[in-house]
Amino acid sequence: MHANVAIDRPINVAIIGGGIIGVVLALGLLKRDVSFTIYERAPGFREIGAGIGFTPNAERAMIALNSSLHDVFKKVSTPNTEDWFQWVDGYNHDDVSDPHGVKEELIFKLYCGKRGFEGCRRQDFLEGLVKLIPEKNIKYGKSIVTVTDKEDGAQVLMGFQDGSTSEADIVIGCDGIRSSMRRIMFGEEHPATQPSYTHKFAFRGLIPMARARAALGNDKASTRFMHLGPDAHVLTFPVAMGTFLNVVAFVTDAEDWSLEGGKFTAPATKDDAVRAFAGFGPAVRAIMGLLPDKLDKWAIFDTRDHPAPTYAQGRLCLAGDAAHASAPHHGAGAGHGIEDALVLATVIKAVENVSVGSRVSRIRTALRTYDAIRYERTQWLVESSRVVGELFEWQDEACGRDPDKFGREIDWRSHQIWDYNIDKMIRDTEAQFSQRLQTELLLPAELHLPALIHHLKQFPNTFSQTEDKSCHIIQGAATINIDTTDTTNVS
């Protein structure tokens, strides 16, 4: 390993997938002057689904990644009339004093922070972000088929369905839950290539706000509510600057999901939704009655049963749903993908800022660092999202319908997500990358001492040289003392 290798050209990153996470990562790299290209299989950018919300940690990650993307979010997001997330009993209703059925018993409420956990339409957010990316950095109609990480140090070779090829130093799969990159990395037969049905599906739709307010009242239509019940629950929140009420109505399904072509969506009607929630209270039934006549039924898949064993393999890696798709019950999957993007942008820039060993070895060390920083937190989210989905539908035996037990579970799980220290995550990423580089540097059997000292001076937090020319290297919990007056090799 050479101690000082000049970078002869900028690192180039290939981003596979032009959804929200791919575009967010691109903006993080753009901010740090890292070269990138987005390869999107569709002829243009589009987001599947209606509304999306971001928790406070996700907003902090946006600001750290590129403040412009946070500006876009705030422009398209709809403020709630209250900064509290409210969970209500959407099933029981026996209050004769409430003839319109709007009143639902409060089970728990949680403060989200000032303008916290706001929502927007997915497409509005994506369109605003894409405007910030130079057109030359985007290639459409590119469906990835093969990726070859060459051992000789040459760039990674990508092959696309249209027969074209391209090269990059790093290839990052941001291509969603049905990731082609995940299949390429682990092989067609690996269990992690296929997501698992969570045995829940959702009716999703938008209700014009005027109709929602007329049926539910201004308060219930203008802020975030979760309507709970047995084996089903409904999430509602305003989007599109308050012109629509976003509705996601979840239903437990005992059957396996089977649809021709492996699609995760199926056509449905308002009557299907009305029947599914026929036993719920008047407020929920009113919401179902306001949905459009034609709907889609969305199967909820995740990667809990067969998680990816790692998010990084050589110079390839996964981010967002491609790495750790979770059920949407925490409303935090996309936010965790933004955290992924921040770590990747940070550590890839760090690769350009040091000159240790080969470019390939630095990149592989960087991606291993990303995997180490992100794996545990994101896998916890996948598991916890399943748990809270059961809590919302009174399926958890330990909690049941007990509001106190429910509140304690929701409180600690939500704050585990929301209170994450984004600044510390960045510092940990930089520190761990630095430590890993040093560890790799010290691995060779022999290393010329002047070259060692020259390199270690790039890491001032772990290296010092005293007046008597002795050196002190902090390696983990130990301090290694080297007498630099000795001109022999270090081994």
Side-chain angles (χ1 to χ4, degrees), residues 312-390:
Q313 188 179 89
R315 290 178 286 171
L316 320 182
C317 76
L318 305 170
D321 280 355
H324 45 78
S326 62
H329 308 305
H330 268 303
H336 275 54
I338 293 172
E339 291 178 4
D340 291 349
L342 177 55
V343 171
L344 282 168
T346 298
V347 78
I348 291 170
K349 185 61 180 178
V351 170
E352 290 194 333
N353 289 339
V354 296
S355 53
V356 182
S358 68
R359 177 197 297 260
V360 171
S361 66
R362 290 195 304 274
I363 289 171
R364 289 174 176 168
T365 297
L367 297 187
R368 285 195 294 270
T369 301
Y370 159 72
D371 179 63
I373 293 290
R374 296 302 299 155
Y375 195 87
E376 182 178 354
R377 173 168 167 82
T378 52
Q379 289 300 315
W380 176 88
L381 177 70
V382 175
E383 175 63 31
S384 188
S385 295
R386 284 266 191 123
V387 172
V388 297
E390 294 175 355

Side-chain angles (χ1 to χ4, degrees), residues 3-4 356 438 441-442 447-460 462-466 468-473 480-490:
N4 188 10
V356 182
Q438 292 174 69
L441 177 68
L442 295 173
L447 187 66
H448 190 251
L449 184 58
L452 171 63
I453 294 170
H454 172 81
H455 168 64
L456 289 175
K457 284 180 178 178
Q458 296 182 75
F459 307 99
T462 58
F463 172 81
S464 64
Q465 188 169 13
T466 61
D468 64 359
K469 304 300 183 182
S470 64
C471 298
H472 306 283
I473 307 167
I480 305 171
N481 297 313
I482 302 175
D483 181 2
T484 58
T485 61
D486 183 355
T487 59
T488 60
N489 286 352
V490 177

Side-chain angles (χ1 to χ4, degrees), residues 203-239:
F203 300 103
R204 302 175 73 165
L206 296 170
I207 299 173
M209 187 57 74
R211 297 185 66 201
R213 285 176 177 153
L216 303 172
N218 186 64
D219 291 343
K220 186 146 291 183
S222 301
T223 196
R224 181 175 289 266
F225 276 89
M226 193 77 78
H227 312 260
L228 311 186
D231 299 327
H233 69 283
V234 183
L235 170 65
T236 58
F237 59 92
V239 295

Side-chain angles (χ1 to χ4, degrees), residues 31-51:
K31 180 70 174 180
R32 290 158 180 79
D33 296 319
V34 176
S35 176
F36 68 89
T37 303
I38 297 175
Y39 297 88
E40 167 56 40
R41 66 180 181 181
F45 288 105
R46 66 185 181 91
E47 259 296 310
I48 297 174

Side-chain angles (χ1 to χ4, degrees), residues 206-218 221 242-245 270 286-293:
L206 296 170
I207 299 173
M209 187 57 74
R211 297 185 66 201
R213 285 176 177 153
L216 303 172
N218 186 64
T243 58
F244 288 96
L245 182 69
K270 177 171 70 176
I287 293 169
M288 297 303 111
L290 292 172
L291 289 170
D293 291 333

